[in-house]
Amino acid sequence: MESINELELRELLLGNLPQLELLSKVMRRTQDATLTWEERRPYWHFFYNSGYLPRLFEVMQKSLENKQRVPYDLLIESCARANIKPGRAVLASLHKGLKRGDAFTDILAAKGWDKWDQSLSTLRNEQLELKVIEQKKYKEQMVEKFHFLQSQRMLDQAGKLLRRLLELYPTDGKIQNFKSEFDEAWARSVLSNHLNSLQFEANVHDRTRTAPSGLDQEMLKCFLREGEQLAIENRGFAYDLAIAFWFLEDYARALEILAWSEPSSASDWMKAEVLFAARRFIETLEHLNQLELKGAADPETTFAVSYLRAQCLFELGQKASALEIMQSIVRVRAKYRSAHAFILDWTDGGGWD
């Protein structure tokens, strides 16, 4: 998933700013002492990946003069790309900078100076071994914390931790099993805590709708049968017909005909919207989990899943969790007006905590 700073950088690039103004803004961010090093990294990489090497060296020189950290990996690779051979003094300064700044991870992928200094390869192997040990320990600690939170019935926190585990270790079979067990436990908890309120809301919701007449029911059944026959030959028609049933508020038939449509992102999201409209919130959440895994590389999917997940949680009575998700959305997307509207509605106009 992209970091907030990567998203901000993308917004700058999409802003069609004049070149000098864009470069000036990015330069200031590389020098912003209020940001951590990892938060500043994307701005450094912008210069390198965009081919602004003279500007990159200019910013590096300024940082070194101010005794600030620089991205040693970009320094190494930029010089290697330009066929610049480092002198002994430069290599000595590199080792000193790596040590003082605890920046040894910078050389993990930067191999451009290995032919001039074999000790860099040795340092890299040592760092890789340390990383393997750290990652194994980190994973064990996360799994242990997940089991503790689940045993204490702190399911919201356990769910967040489990999603992170799935992002980091998507092929780990044990963690996939954790997800199946957790989803079942979470569903049971939500149902037991909110069954009465859900039943009451469902009854109120049903009473506000006018039930179709017998003739209308027969017409809808015929509509569905004919649609299914047509969908066998033209699966694209199933999606259009599902929209029609959705507008008619016949969500059960919308889901039936949607099952005939071609697998696509559009049909996946249509299913999520129909399940939500049908007030089948737990099924919606499970479907959103699948969409989140499918679109893990797309930040827009993350926003969309979070937006609908928050609404489901609010309807299920998990108001604090729902509000937290909506607030995290508007922190990154300040112009997300509908999210602001939900926050105001859920806090009776109070806005942020």
Side-chain angles (χ1 to χ4, degrees):
M1 186 183 297
E2 289 180 299
S3 69
I4 291 176
N5 297 85
E6 288 171 332
L7 291 171
E8 182 184 16
L9 182 56
R10 187 175 66 174
E11 294 294 333
L12 283 176
L13 295 174
L14 293 175
N16 294 321
L17 298 173
Q19 184 183 44
L20 290 179
E21 183 180 352
L22 172 64
L23 295 178
S24 178
K25 285 180 178 291
V26 176
M27 284 182 69
R28 285 198 295 270
R29 296 303 270 169
T30 64
Q31 306 296 303
D32 191 343
T34 64
L35 300 178
T36 66
W37 172 249
E38 290 305 322
E39 288 172 334
R40 281 184 283 153
R41 252 193 178 281
Y43 302 103
W44 286 98
H45 279 267
F46 164 76
F47 287 123
Y48 180 79
N49 293 328
S50 302
Y52 294 110
L53 297 186
R55 192 59 64 98
L56 175 64
F57 285 121
E58 178 185 341
V59 183
M60 282 187 181
Q61 182 179 356
K62 183 177 180 180
S63 295
L64 290 171
E65 289 173 352
N66 295 328
K67 299 186 182 302
Q68 294 179 344
R69 180 174 173 177
V70 298
Y72 296 103
D73 51 344
L74 300 187
L75 173 64
I76 293 171
E77 293 304 311
S78 299
C79 290
R81 183 191 294 184
N83 294 318
I84 298 175
K85 178 181 177 180
R88 291 183 179 179
V90 172
L91 291 172
S93 297
L94 172 66
H95 283 273
K96 185 182 296 184
L98 292 172
K99 185 176 181 180
R100 285 184 176 179
D102 193 20
F104 290 107
T105 54
D106 280 13
I107 62 171
L108 290 178
K111 302 179 181 180
W113 283 359
D114 283 13
K115 58 184 176 180
W116 311 116
D117 187 349
Q118 294 182 357
S119 66
L120 291 175
S121 178
T122 302
L123 282 173
R124 183 180 302 109
N125 291 334
E126 292 174 356
Q127 288 299 311
L128 288 173
E129 290 177 5
L130 289 174
K131 284 293 179 184
V132 170
I133 295 172
E134 288 175 4
Q135 283 299 315
K136 183 178 180 181
K137 184 177 180 180
Y138 178 67
K139 180 180 179 182
E140 291 173 350
Q141 289 175 341
M142 289 186 71
V143 170
E144 183 179 351
K145 185 176 180 180
F146 166 73
H147 286 310
F148 170 78
L149 292 172
Q150 192 173 28
S151 68
Q152 298 299 312
R153 302 188 65 78
M154 300 169 69
L155 298 185
D156 286 342
Q157 296 91 326
K160 292 177 182 178
L161 188 58
L162 179 57
R163 285 196 293 274
R164 183 58 179 159
L165 281 166
L166 288 167
E167 290 174 359
L168 293 173
Y169 313 104
T171 60
D172 191 310
K174 289 184 178 179
I175 294 177
Q176 292 293 336
N177 291 335
F178 292 162
K179 181 182 182 302
S180 300
E181 295 170 1
F182 175 79
D183 287 343
E184 184 177 347
W186 188 85
R188 285 199 304 267
S189 174
V190 171
L191 285 173
S192 63
N193 290 333
H194 303 286
L195 186 58
N196 291 334
S197 61
L198 285 174
Q199 186 63 50
F200 173 76
E201 291 177 7
N203 290 339
V204 171
H205 179 72
D206 288 341
R207 286 198 298 270
T208 60
R209 294 179 56 198
T210 302
S213 66
L215 290 176
D216 288 340
Q217 286 283 13
E218 287 302 318
M219 181 270 293
L220 290 171
K221 290 179 181 178
C222 180
F223 196 19
L224 178 63
R225 284 196 303 269
E226 294 296 327
E228 288 177 339
Q229 290 297 321
L230 291 171
I232 293 175
E233 300 177 0
N234 182 5
R235 297 183 70 180
F237 181 71
Y239 179 84
D240 296 331
L241 189 55
I243 295 176
F245 278 117
W246 184 23
F247 282 129
L248 292 171
E249 297 186 3
D250 192 341
Y251 305 121
R253 290 189 174 92
L255 290 170
E256 283 188 55
I257 195 66
L258 188 60
W260 290 87
S261 67
E262 291 280 0
S264 67
S265 176
S267 61
D268 283 342
W269 281 105
M270 168 64 74
K271 181 177 180 180
E273 294 290 351
V274 174
L275 285 170
F276 181 79
R279 305 181 66 78
R280 292 161 61 170
F281 302 122
I282 293 177
E283 292 177 69
T284 308
L285 288 170
E286 176 58 30
H287 185 60
L288 288 175
N289 289 338
Q290 298 173 17
L291 292 183
E292 190 171 35
L293 291 175
K294 283 184 180 180
D298 181 11
E300 297 303 324
T301 297
T302 301
F303 279 110
V305 166
S306 298
Y307 182 69
L308 191 53
R309 178 182 285 138
Q311 295 175 65
C312 289
L313 291 174
F314 184 84
E315 294 293 340
L316 289 169
Q318 303 285 330
K319 298 183 179 180
S321 297
L323 183 60
E324 182 181 348
I325 292 173
M326 281 296 182
Q327 289 175 339
S328 69
I329 290 174
V330 298
R331 284 191 187 98
V332 179
R333 294 286 178 85
K335 296 182 181 179
Y336 212 135
R337 294 183 178 179
S338 55
H340 277 290
F342 275 116
I343 291 173
L344 291 173
D345 183 48
W346 294 347
T347 58
D348 296 324
W352 298 84
D353 290 338

